[in-house]
């Protein structure tokens, strides 16, 4: 592998019983790029994310992050190395307010938080940064709203702010714009572009407009296999892709 | 809705919350101060021990969403160890209690290390299984004296200074132990560590994805909870001057669940109130003999159906504060 590649997988495979959700996927993600992973429902995109972040153990294959084999690491340790994911199903802390949600992530900057004897007033210095992050996703006015009670699109934005709070080197976003209105999509797309300046982003997204505008490189997955890879133009002109994925409605 | 309005209402909430918690705390302290004059002091001290036990249990169920069905093992083991240290080794009460707390903490760490990777009902079943093991151990081990238990535990002089065989000194001592435990648990919940616990309660995978080893946080919480359950059990041994199989039994494990649910899990004051109610029922309904359990069951069902959040939980929800 070259130093340009931040993440490399070789022959990544996941079987659930007899069913192969992901088979033999070899990916190379360039440092600094926005790389999109697309494919029809059930193609294995989320399963790939789960393996990359070690939430699911691969049945076969290796994962190398920054030149280091992370195939056997624990999920929290992978996150500490700077490979952080978001979830397809919005993952906020519903009973905490938006500010507290982001602050949980910011607490990582203190190292571990086993200090059970200290008052949480010790976390106050993190509030300013939390508000800044909320502002960047357009949630300033919801800082004190209970996370479980805000709209779906705003939960996604909150989740993005929380992910950004740990300042990951490689950020995996699983359908960050699902359930958002036009305005929000534009704002989040802009935000993703902005924060990609000093990090790498791998994202799953069904909105092809967004994919076309944002990503440098696209990998198409169908039935667990890589069908095509390249920039948007190459991929969208690939007849197999047109048939398998963009087929009927999209193209 | 503007940012300033939101921030102002958040400040308002914080302010109201602080006030409500001060009122609740002052009421609790006042009750503890008055109680021995209106009720049988021995009963109040026992209630305080169980209240602390319930607070310790609530640290897990209320803030980490871990259901332990065997928490009596910590209460009971600490009770035995404290009784043994005071009676056989001749320790003064504070050191004897420390022995009990230490034993419960070590057991908590060991059981936690084995159980914590399991989730939901499996976790509960494992704690239950360990509690049964500790129960059988207590039946067989020589130092616990089987069915007889350890009787005639001397109360002694706390730190060699205060004679706890004086009922008033004992009462003040137990009240201070309770308040210490209560405030310590409140602090744990309100610490940077407690923030992570609450996040784990809400969404464990998300916490892990941010780089926290959730298992270690849960294990730490479990160990702390066992330690405070031990503090309750050890103090109880000094109060009752005995340690018996009841303290390690399944029924004690289920009682603490009952206390916490009736009072309100995930609230600071609920478990203590729940403990008071359950212990009071047991005492004042003792005349009905075996029927106490049935009445208790009925009250439990009524409580769970009428107020899902428990008594304090409902009150807090109505007043829009968190207690
Ligand atoms: N834990 C599991 N056990 C069994 N089958 C699974 C499991 N997780 C995923 N699958 C199957 O693996 C296949 C790939 O699922 P995956 O969630 O990775 O797809 P996806 O590309 O993310 O789809 P979508 O666009 O709908 O999110 C699906 O057929 C799914 O049913
Ligand atoms: Mg998916």
């Amino acid at each position: 592998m070259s130093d340009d590649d931040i993440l490399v997988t070789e022959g990544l495979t996941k079987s659930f019983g007899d069913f192969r959700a992901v088979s033999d996927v070899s990916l190379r993600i360039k440092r600094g790029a926005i790389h999109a992973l697309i494919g029809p429902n059930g193609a294995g995109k989320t399963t790939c994310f789960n393996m990359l972040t070690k939430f699911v153990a691969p049945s076969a294959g290796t994962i190398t992050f920054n030149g280091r084999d992370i195939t056997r690491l624990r999920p929290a340790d992978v996150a500490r190395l700077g490979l952080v994911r978001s979830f397809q199903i919005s993952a906020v802390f519903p009973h905490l307010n938006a500010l507290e949600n982001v602050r949980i992530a910011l607490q990582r900057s203190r190292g571990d938080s086993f200090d059970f004897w200290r008052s949480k007033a010790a976390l106050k210095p993190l509030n300013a940064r939390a508000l800044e992050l909320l502002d960047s996703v357009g949630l300033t006015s919801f800082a004190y709203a209970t996370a479980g009670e805000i709209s779906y699109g705003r939960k996604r934005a909150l989740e993005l702010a929380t992910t950004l709070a740990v300042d990951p080197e490689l950020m995996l976003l699983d359908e960050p714009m699902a359930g958002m209105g036009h305005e929000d999509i534009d704002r989040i797309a802009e935000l993703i572009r902005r924060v990609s300046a000093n990090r790498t982003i791998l994202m799953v997204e069904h909105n092809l407009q967004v994919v076309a505008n944002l990503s440098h490189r696209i990998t198409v997955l169908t039935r667990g296999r890589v069908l095509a890879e390249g920039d948007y133009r190459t991929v969208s002109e690939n007849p197999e892709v047109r048939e398998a994925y963009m087929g009927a409605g999209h193209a | 809705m503007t940012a300033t309005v939101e921030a102002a209402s958040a400040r308002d909430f914080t302010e109201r919350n602080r006030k409500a918690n001060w009122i609740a705390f002052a009421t609790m302290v006042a009750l503890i101060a008055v109680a021995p004059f209106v009720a049988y002091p021995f009963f109040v001290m026992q209630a305080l021990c169980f209240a602390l036990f319930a607070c310790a249990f609530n640290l897990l169920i209320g803030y980490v969403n871990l259901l332990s069905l065997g928490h009596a093992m910590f209460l009971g083991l600490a009770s035995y160890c404290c009784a043994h240290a005071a009676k056989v080794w001749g320790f003064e009460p504070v050191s004897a209690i420390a022995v009990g707390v230490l034993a419960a903490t070590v057991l908590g760490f060991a059981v936690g290390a084995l159980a914590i990777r399991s989730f939901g009902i499996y976790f509960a079943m494992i704690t239950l299984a360990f509690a049964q093991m500790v129960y059988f151990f207590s039946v067989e081990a020589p130092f616990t004296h089987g069915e007889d238990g350890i009787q005639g535990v001397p109360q002694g002089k706390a730190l060699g200074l205060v004679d706890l065989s004086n009922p008033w000194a004992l009462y003040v001592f137990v009240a201070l132990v309770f308040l210490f435990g209560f405030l310590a648990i409140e602090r744990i919940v309100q610490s940077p560590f407690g923030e992570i616990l609450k996040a784990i309660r809400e969404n464990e995978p998300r916490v892990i994805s941010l780089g926290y080893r959730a298992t270690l946080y849960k294990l730490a919480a479990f160990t702390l909870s066992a330690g405070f359950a031990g503090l309750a059990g050890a103090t109880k041994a000094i109060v009752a001057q005995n340690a018996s199989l009841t303290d390690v039994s399944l029924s004690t494990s289920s009682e603490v669940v009952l206390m916490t649910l009736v009072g309100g899990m995930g609230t600071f004051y609920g478990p203590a109130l729940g403990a008071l109610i359950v212990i009071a029922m047991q005492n004042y309904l003792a005349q009905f003999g075996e029927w106490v359990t049935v009445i208790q069951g009925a009250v439990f069902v009524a409580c769970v159906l009428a107020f899902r959040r428990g008594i304090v939980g409902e009150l807090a929800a109505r007043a829009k504060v968190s207690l």
Side-chain angles (χ1 to χ4, degrees):
Chain A
M1 81 179 267
S2 76
D3 271 358
D4 285 355
D5 296 326
I6 188 168
L7 185 81
V8 175
T9 72
E10 302 282 357
L12 207 54
T13 300
K14 181 69 201 180
S15 315
F16 295 109
D18 288 340
F19 174 67
R20 279 198 164 192
V22 172
S23 45
D24 198 22
V25 167
S26 298
L27 286 174
R28 277 170 187 278
I29 314 293
K30 272 218 162 25
R31 193 181 303 280
I34 299 182
H35 193 127
L37 188 58
I38 65 173
N41 292 113
K45 306 177 297 288
T46 299
T47 306
C48 272
F49 270 25
N50 284 339
M51 284 193 282
L52 295 178
T53 49
K54 306 313 317 298
F55 276 74
V56 153
S59 310
T62 58
I63 307 163
T64 314
F65 177 62
N66 266 333
R68 178 173 172 181
D69 184 351
I70 60 164
T71 317
R72 313 230 163 274
L73 288 192
R74 281 177 293 202
D77 296 338
V78 170
R80 280 158 185 247
L81 290 177
L83 197 174
V84 180
R85 68 174 302 174
S86 69
F87 291 81
Q88 180 170 357
I89 298 164
S90 145
V92 297
F93 306 119
H95 292 100
L96 308 186
N97 68 32
L99 181 88
E100 288 164 337
N101 264 264
V102 177
R103 210 171 57 186
I104 293 290
L106 289 172
Q107 260 183 258
R108 267 282 310 290
S109 63
R110 312 168 72 238
D112 280 315
S113 283
F114 286 107
D115 42 354
F116 60 82
W117 56 88
R118 196 167 284 145
S119 158
K120 71 175 172 186
L123 302 176
K124 277 210 179 114
L126 302 176
N127 288 358
R129 176 73 186 131
L131 285 168
E132 235 174 76
L133 284 158
L134 288 172
D135 191 42
S136 71
V137 295
L139 286 180
T140 305
S141 48
F142 294 90
Y144 301 96
T146 306
E149 288 165 12
I150 60 181
S151 72
Y152 187 75
R154 292 195 176 106
K155 280 187 191 135
R156 302 304 325 225
L158 174 57
E159 203 192 334
L160 189 57
T162 309
T163 309
L164 279 171
V166 290
D167 196 18
E169 207 182 334
L170 171 57
M171 189 155 85
L172 308 190
L173 303 174
D174 201 346
E175 301 191 20
M177 319 213 184
M180 283 188 182
H182 271 300
E183 237 169 83
D184 289 330
I185 289 184
D186 291 345
R187 186 189 15 241
I188 298 300
E190 191 40 48
L191 176 70
I192 291 177
R193 197 196 309 278
R194 187 149 38 91
V195 301
S196 73
N198 46 6
R199 74 185 90 238
T200 314
I201 292 172
L202 174 61
M203 73 176 187
V204 170
E205 183 53 57
H206 281 300
N207 185 329
L208 293 182
Q209 190 82 49
V210 170
V211 171
N213 287 338
L214 274 182
S215 46
H216 305 112
R217 211 171 166 75
I218 297 167
T219 301
V220 185
L221 218 57
T222 49
R223 294 198 207 121
R225 292 182 178 279
V226 175
L227 184 66
E229 197 174 280
D231 59 14
Y232 186 73
R233 207 197 174 88
T234 325
V235 165
S236 60
E237 282 169 2
N238 182 320
E240 274 185 291
V241 174
R242 295 178 80 100
E243 189 188 336
Y245 182 62
M246 304 179 183
H250 292 293
Chain B
M1 185 165 25
T2 68
T4 41
V5 172
E6 268 282 348
S9 83
R11 252 196 315 279
D12 184 46
F13 171 77
T14 319
E15 206 38 56
R16 209 149 26 97
N17 225 9
R18 189 170 300 147
K19 216 190 254 166
N21 274 277
W22 267 115
I23 295 173
F25 187 73
T27 311
M28 186 174 77
V29 172
L31 280 177
I32 293 173
V34 176
F37 299 101
V38 294
Y40 184 41
F42 177 76
F43 154 74
V44 184
M45 288 189 284
Q46 215 181 3
L48 284 172
C49 292
F50 276 103
L52 179 54
F53 182 37
C55 289
F57 175 79
N58 183 47
L59 176 60
L60 290 181
I61 188 74
Y63 299 100
V64 207
N65 204 13
L66 282 174
L67 172 60
S68 162
L69 286 181
H71 241 46
M73 67 180 136
F74 307 120
L75 181 88
L77 181 75
S79 186
Y80 277 126
C81 291
C82 170
H84 185 80
K87 187 178 174 185
V88 181
W89 297 342
F91 279 24
E92 56 83 28
V94 174
S95 323
I97 289 173
V99 170
V101 172
L102 185 68
T105 308
V106 171
L107 179 66
F109 180 79
V111 171
L114 292 165
I116 213 78
R117 276 169 212 285
S118 309
F119 289 88
I121 195 68
Y122 299 102
F123 175 82
M125 297 314 280
I126 294 174
T127 55
L128 182 64
F130 275 107
Q132 282 304 85
M133 272 169 56
V134 172
Y135 181 82
F136 292 126
F137 169 81
S138 308
V139 172
E140 299 299 334
F143 91 99
T144 56
H145 300 284
E147 297 286 340
D148 300 336
I150 304 176
Q151 302 294 336
V153 176
Q155 283 165 322
K157 282 190 163 178
L159 300 169
L161 299 170
V162 186
D163 190 355
L164 294 188
S165 58
N166 173 328
W168 292 109
L170 183 65
Y171 187 82
V172 172
F173 178 79
V174 173
L176 288 178
V177 169
F178 168 77
L179 286 175
F180 163 77
F182 180 89
L183 291 173
I185 290 169
E186 181 169 347
R187 166 48 63 88
I188 291 171
V189 170
Q190 307 266 35
S191 70
F193 172 72
E195 294 291 288
I196 304 296
L197 292 187
K198 281 178 264 181
I200 291 174
R201 171 189 72 186
E202 311 264 297
N203 191 333
E204 185 167 347
R206 182 52 169 159
V207 176
I208 295 171
S209 80
L210 294 170
Y212 295 101
R213 291 183 185 165
T215 308
L216 293 184
Y217 286 85
K218 291 199 296 189
L219 177 57
F222 192 81
T223 309
L224 284 166
S225 171
F228 283 102
L231 179 60
T235 308
K236 187 173 165 299
I238 298 293
V239 170
Q241 295 192 272
N242 69 45
S244 71
L245 281 176
T246 317
D247 301 331
V248 272
S249 70
L250 209 56
S251 69
T252 303
S253 283
S254 57
E255 256 165 41
V256 77
V257 180
L258 182 79
M259 292 167 179
T260 308
L261 287 180
V262 167
M265 68 179 200
T267 66
F268 290 129
Y269 296 89
L273 181 64
L276 178 68
I277 292 172
V278 171
I279 298 290
M281 273 190 337
Q282 283 172 355
N283 271 265
Y284 295 108
L285 300 179
Q287 47 181 318
F288 297 106
E290 292 297 307
W291 285 96
V292 177
T293 340
V294 178
I295 298 172
Q296 224 177 61
V299 169
F300 178 47
V301 171
C303 257
V304 171
L305 292 179
F307 344 93
R308 287 176 183 236
R309 290 178 263 227
I311 298 170
V312 173
E314 288 296 332
L315 282 175
R318 293 226 175 119
K320 294 196 169 50
V321 292
S322 68
L323 286 172

